[in-house]
Every structure is written in structure tokens, then in C-alpha cells.
């Protein structure tokens, strides 16, 4: 069934990609024409995802996403997760700002909505509580 296969794909992507730093999942599971709807038009989807994984794993070498709830219907997969990690490397925030390591642990809620077409991610919508993470790092938003 597609719903179960899509959920398994999303779980594998999050574990191998963000949890282990395996960038091959980006090419394996994402459509080259995919769109991250939080990024400017024209952003290369695969390059952006690889940079996001590298950036987050550099900042939080013990990065982990615990998926609490996951639902899928047709082409859409939605999941609620908590990102945890210890800030031991520079965190790239936006195009120019880098936050030096603080040593603080973070626990940040996330929501993801993904459209999967023919086994590949075509659309990504993602929300996370950035102000909460900044407070946990000791930085006022």
C-alpha cells in the first residue's frame, strides 16, 4: 500500500539523512524538480536538502528526530516530530549569520508535510519553533 510505503520512506529519510548524515537519501527519495516551500523560488531542492543536513549535523553532531505521529493519505504524508541535539558546532542561521557552539542541548518541535509522487518527494512544507531553539541556545530571538 502506498501510504505505508510513503511513511517508511519518510522515516528512512529522516533517520539516514538527518540522524546519520547519509546524503545519498536526498538523491534516492527526492524528485529533482522538488520544491521546499519555505525557500525562495528557484532554490535547487536536492542541494538545499543536502546543505540543511550538513548544517544541522555540523551544529548538532548527535542530531535526532523522534517521529511522534505520522499520517498519510494519497500523495500526502504529515508528521510531528521533536528534534534533539547538543550544540557543539557552528549553526548557520540564514545566509550570513553563524552561531558559535554553546554546548546547550535542544528539544524543538517540528511539523512536516510532504507530497510524494511515484516514490519521490515533490513538495515539502516544514515548520519548526525557531524562537524556542534560540532560547534553548541562550540566544534571544
Amino acid at each position: 500500500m502506498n501510504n505505508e510505503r510513503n511513511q517508511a520512506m519518510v522515516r528512512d529519510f529522516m533517520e539516514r539523512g538527518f540522524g546519520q548524515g547519509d546524503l545519498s537519501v536526498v538523491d534516492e527519495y527526492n524528485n529533482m524538480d522538488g520544491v521546499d516551500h519555505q525557500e525562495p523560488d528557484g532554490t535547487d531542492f536536492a542541494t538545499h536538502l543536502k546543505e540543511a543536513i550538513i548544517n544541522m549535523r555540523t551544529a548538532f553532531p548527535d542530531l535526532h528526530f523522534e517521529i511522534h505521529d505520522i499520517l498519510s493519505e494519497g500523495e500526502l504524508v504529515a508528521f510531528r516530530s521533536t528534534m534533539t541535539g547538543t550544540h557543539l558546532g557552528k549553526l548557520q542561521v540564514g545566509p550570513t549569520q553563524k552561531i558559535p557552539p554553546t554546548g546547550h542541548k535542544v528539544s524543538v518541535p517540528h511539523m512536516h508535510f510532504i507530497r510524494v509522487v511515484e516514490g519521490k518527494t515533490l513538495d515539502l512544507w516544514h515548520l519548526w519553533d525557531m524562537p524556542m531553539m534560540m532560547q534553548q541556545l541562550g540566544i534571544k530571538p
Side-chain angles (χ1 to χ4, degrees):
M1 179 156 223
N2 280 344
N3 290 340
E4 292 167 0
R5 185 173 45 236
N6 289 348
Q7 287 182 24
M9 180 194 82
V10 165
R11 288 180 187 279
D12 190 47
F13 180 89
M14 294 304 290
E15 177 55 33
R16 284 177 44 211
F18 285 97
Q20 300 170 14
D22 179 357
L23 299 179
S24 72
V25 298
V26 174
D27 297 323
E28 183 177 346
Y29 289 134
N30 293 283
N31 187 304
M32 292 185 65
D33 295 324
V35 176
D36 181 336
H37 292 275
Q38 276 74 267
E39 295 300 312
D41 288 343
T43 298
D44 182 276
F45 191 48
T47 300
H48 164 67
L49 287 174
K50 289 176 183 177
E51 289 172 353
I53 290 169
I54 291 168
N55 179 41
M56 295 305 291
R57 290 203 46 82
T58 297
F60 305 99
D62 59 346
L63 183 67
H64 176 71
F65 279 85
E66 179 180 351
I67 296 176
H68 305 291
D69 300 298
I70 187 167
L71 304 167
S72 57
E73 178 76 28
E75 294 179 339
L76 292 178
V77 178
F79 68 97
R80 179 180 69 86
S81 66
T82 300
M83 178 192 95
T84 57
T86 310
H87 185 212
L88 300 176
K90 287 184 181 175
L91 174 62
Q92 182 78 36
V93 180
T96 59
Q97 183 183 8
K98 289 187 179 182
I99 299 170
T102 62
H104 294 186
K105 292 186 181 296
V106 298
S107 179
V108 184
H110 287 244
M111 297 291 289
H112 294 83
F113 299 87
I114 299 167
R115 187 165 69 103
V116 179
V117 177
E118 297 178 4
K120 303 276 187 175
T121 296
L122 191 57
D123 291 285
L124 167 65
W125 297 267
H126 172 239
L127 302 168
W128 59 321
D129 196 335
M130 180 70 87
M132 175 187 280
M133 184 178 77
M134 294 301 184
Q135 288 176 341
Q136 292 175 9
L137 293 174
I139 299 163
K140 301 292 183 204

